Amino acid sequence: MELLVCIKRVPMVGGRIAVTADGLAVDTKMLGFTVSPHEECAVEEAIRVTERHGGSVTVLTLGPPEAAEQLRDALALGAHRAVLLETDGREWGPAATAAAIVAAIRDREATAGRFDLLLFGNEAADSADYQVGIRVARALGLPCVTAVKQLEADPAGGPEGAAGRLVARREHRGATEAFAVALPAVVTVKEGINLPRYPSLPGRMRARKAPLDTAAASFTPDPLERRKLRVPTSDRKGAEILGRGPDAVPALVDLLDEMGVLA
Amino acid sequence: MTVLCLVELDEGRVADASLRALRLARDLAGPAASLAVAIAPPADPAALGTEGPVLAELGDQGVATVLLLETDGLAPGAYAPAALARGLASATAELGAVLVLAPANTHGQEILGHLAAIADLPFVANCTTATWEEPGVLTLTRQRWGGSLLEDARLAAPAALLSVATDAVTPAPAVTPTTPTVLVHRYRVEAGELDVVATTEPGESGGVALSNARVVVSGGRGVGGPEGFGELEELARLLGGAVGVSRVVTSLGWRPHREQVGQTGTKVTPELYLACGISGAVQHLAGCQGARHMVAINTDADAPIMARADYAVIGDVSEVLPVLVREVRARKERAGR
């Protein structure tokens, strides 16, 4: 099976997130960068599918030149090819991002053949727009399942003319929703679908030297115009200490009773 | 002018997440615009009858019109996101709605995502507030990084879609209740829009759903190991709640990922969030910031969770929790509950 995984480079924010002086960006001077968590799982899932059924994994990102680092991380884990849609570092909105990805997919499919499965993270750790994968699916006329926590791809199944089928499962209000969909399809996955592996040393060596397919992406502004980023303030004074150890339990139970949660 | 809100039912009532979205939708409609809701036909048609609670609940919210989205090939109660988005697009066009809102949960967000693509509209996810700056221009705030960061922004668009951060908006009734009019809105799906339909399988836990739980008893690394969760389960059961966990607990394989509370797990909005042995990383707090009350049990009085919690017990979970379970059980028995 031929798989595409779209990933996003995001800063590794630790405790409190710092904002730049102009209030327009996260201050990343002291931060490293990583692949957004849901997308790390998308890469892992794609590699597992090819380990089982053969084929190859292409990773794609839209980002600054430095996003090559995240593509190489994916290559080190076992992805086969990497595509960088290079920006000038400005932040793109979801509609423009989806349009650029669609153009890149059409371009590749024209020469290299069709992707059978296109994986995205359910939402990026920073912007959480929850729509890039869906917009891409609709533009390409493909079915789309989101928030997926379990995936079984079967290249042999599906109706006549399909590239196979998949069954995707997710949680919804304590129950499981299952979707059976013909391939090709778009699936956006959530953390928990798998536990991503660590890269091997040979994998890292290979990834360092692997060629990246780079194309420039020209910026389209988003109708959402940022005015300010801010860390939410709280009027909380910090916790009132009820006591230490088991001796504090009677006071705690009184409190639970007052809150009305004992009934 | 009309503001349209997508509403889902949960066990024959308006879902809590929908009530939260309706609050922002009603504020945006204001006195000048009409508030309409769109609902997919429920499995039980009586749920929308005058005898059931749903219409009264929607009336309490100030809803003027209820559109029942019907199409051929989609059975009542069935969930097909692409088709429902088509129905919403059709309803939006008929009403001339300038805004469509939905809760920022899986169903709400994916339906708005499809609608954004169908109608070529901007979709702003995880909004906490929104007001009109002038007609066609919204001033809004939305969550980034799961709510650890807020973005103030301006959106100039003749029509737009907003998902509502359910942990930041609390439900409230309208000042002036209404008697909603129910209209059947028939729409036609396009090719492929019925290809993705959910089949519901029973949950694995069988207990209270984490996302709706009134009480969440949550455990972190400080619980000590998988065996320590027996006490948390028992306390959750006694309080009619659900067990939650921090990310490290699922990474260590102590508990299944579906119990994870946080930015990449489930977002919860309980009356009580009891954090046992959880230090309180921002990614975790992003999932429980909507809790009404938070109590922490932790050995470290300086852990970040202490800044967010309302009350705390300083101590080891393995020592405090068994006593707490015993005392809660005794108190409930005494009260005959």
Side-chain angles (χ1 to χ4, degrees):
Chain A
M1 291 177 71
E2 293 306 306
L3 288 92
L4 177 75
V5 187
C6 295
I7 63 174
K8 184 174 185 182
R9 169 184 165 94
V10 295
M12 272 190 270
V13 297
R16 203 179 145 89
I17 299 174
V19 174
T20 53
D22 64 5
L24 291 176
V26 171
D27 187 349
T28 56
K29 277 201 299 291
M30 310 296 281
L31 302 177
F33 285 81
T34 184
V35 176
S36 183
H38 295 315
E39 287 131 50
E40 280 183 345
C41 294
V43 172
E44 174 66 31
E45 197 65 20
I47 294 168
R48 288 187 190 187
V49 169
T50 55
E51 283 170 348
R52 189 144 179 208
H53 300 295
S56 72
V57 176
T58 302
V59 282
L60 180 150
T61 194
L62 174 96
E66 296 80 14
E69 183 190 342
Q70 278 62 48
L71 291 174
R72 292 195 192 281
D73 287 349
L75 291 169
L77 293 173
H80 303 81
R81 276 180 299 280
V83 180
L84 173 61
L85 304 179
E86 199 177 284
T87 69
D88 59 8
R90 274 181 287 185
E91 210 176 304
W92 286 46
T97 302
I101 292 171
V102 167
I105 291 170
R106 288 206 170 113
D107 225 35
R108 276 197 92 73
E109 288 191 333
T111 55
R114 194 170 69 168
F115 289 112
D116 302 309
L117 180 56
L118 297 86
L119 296 179
F120 291 75
N122 197 57
E123 78 268 355
D126 55 353
S127 55
D129 294 309
Y130 210 116
Q131 58 194 276
V132 172
I134 302 171
R135 284 181 183 270
V136 168
R138 288 216 76 118
L140 297 173
L142 299 179
C144 179
V145 187
T146 73
V148 170
K149 297 281 283 273
Q150 198 210 343
L151 185 61
E152 295 157 33
D154 173 10
E160 185 87 28
R165 75 193 283 269
L166 64 82
V167 176
R169 291 189 172 82
R170 68 182 183 197
E171 295 147 15
H172 178 66
R173 285 198 204 126
T176 300
E177 283 184 339
F179 298 87
V181 176
L183 297 176
V186 171
V187 172
T188 78
V189 309
K190 287 187 85 164
E191 188 183 80
I193 189 171
N194 55 43
L195 215 50
R197 69 193 69 188
Y198 291 99
S200 64
L201 191 60
R204 277 180 198 279
M205 303 291 285
R206 200 174 53 238
R208 204 181 301 163
K209 289 187 292 237
L212 304 180
D213 185 353
T214 303
S218 61
F219 182 73
T220 316
D222 194 77
L224 189 71
E225 183 194 322
R226 177 174 303 166
R227 283 182 168 165
K228 196 168 167 246
L229 293 178
R230 59 193 162 89
V231 177
T233 51
S234 150
D235 46 12
R236 290 171 197 283
K237 297 176 287 290
E240 179 185 320
I241 308 293
L242 297 170
R244 295 191 166 263
D247 294 347
V249 165
L252 176 52
V253 179
D254 287 344
L255 185 70
L256 300 185
D257 203 5
E258 265 172 52
M259 290 174 185
V261 297
L262 282 187
Chain B
M1 196 176 83
T2 301
V3 173
L4 182 61
C5 186
L6 177 70
V7 162
E8 280 200 313
L9 305 185
D10 184 7
E11 299 191 349
R13 307 192 60 123
V14 178
D16 176 68
S18 297
L19 288 176
R20 292 166 191 263
L22 267 170
R23 166 114 189 242
L24 188 55
R26 186 178 68 237
D27 290 350
L28 284 163
S34 170
L35 178 61
V37 302
I39 302 188
D44 172 16
L48 278 177
T50 45
E51 302 298 310
V54 172
L55 286 183
E57 285 179 303
L58 293 174
D60 288 344
Q61 293 294 319
V63 171
T65 314
V66 178
L67 293 185
L68 202 53
L69 303 178
E70 281 190 8
T71 192
D72 293 331
L74 193 61
Y79 179 75
L84 291 172
R86 178 66 64 186
L88 212 47
S90 160
T92 305
E94 183 174 295
L95 295 170
V98 290
L99 285 177
V100 183
L101 289 88
N105 56 15
T106 300
H107 283 186
Q109 305 246 64
E110 76 178 351
I111 290 172
L112 289 188
H114 280 280
L115 177 56
I118 291 170
D120 193 18
L121 290 174
F123 162 26
V124 185
N126 303 301
C127 297
T128 61
T129 64
T131 52
W132 295 104
E133 192 171 298
E134 58 185 87
V137 181
L138 285 172
T139 302
L140 60 86
T141 300
R142 69 160 178 155
Q143 295 177 339
R144 293 174 69 89
W145 292 99
S148 305
L149 195 64
L150 296 174
E151 176 178 15
D152 298 325
R154 179 178 186 272
L155 178 68
L161 318 178
L162 309 179
S163 73
V164 179
T166 51
D167 57 347
V169 178
T170 45
V175 177
T176 319
T178 48
T179 307
T181 310
V182 182
L183 302 172
V184 171
H185 180 84
R186 288 201 58 82
Y187 67 97
R188 287 167 70 136
V189 294
E190 296 203 354
E193 288 176 338
L194 289 171
D195 288 352
V196 179
V197 183
T199 311
T200 304
E201 301 169 350
E204 288 171 65
S205 59
V208 176
L210 189 56
S211 55
N212 290 351
R214 250 185 101 239
V215 174
V216 176
V217 181
S218 216
R221 193 195 285 273
V223 172
E227 60 289 344
F229 280 88
E231 297 285 356
L232 275 83
E233 284 181 343
E234 179 57 13
L235 185 60
R237 196 189 62 75
L238 285 167
L239 299 177
V243 170
V245 301
S246 68
R247 190 171 189 232
V248 65
V249 167
T250 59
S251 303
L252 290 168
W254 293 356
R255 301 290 293 185
H257 189 279
R258 64 171 184 275
E259 293 179 350
Q260 184 176 311
V261 171
Q263 189 180 336
T264 53
T266 302
K267 286 196 161 201
V268 298
T269 52
E271 281 290 304
L272 169 65
Y273 191 79
L274 183 62
C276 307
I278 292 177
S279 63
V282 282
Q283 291 85 352
H284 183 77
L285 295 177
C288 55
Q289 60 201 351
R292 176 119 186 263
H293 304 288
M294 190 183 297
V295 178
I297 302 174
N298 207 300
T299 48
D300 179 6
D302 296 319
I305 193 87
M306 296 300 173
R308 169 57 182 80
D310 306 297
Y311 300 92
V313 172
I314 309 302
D316 197 310
V317 173
S318 65
E319 290 167 17
V320 176
L321 220 54
V323 182
L324 178 58
V325 166
R326 213 162 55 222
E327 183 65 22
V328 166
R329 193 183 291 131
R331 195 77 71 98
K332 284 180 71 115
E333 276 168 14
R334 271 208 301 282
R337 292 188 284 223

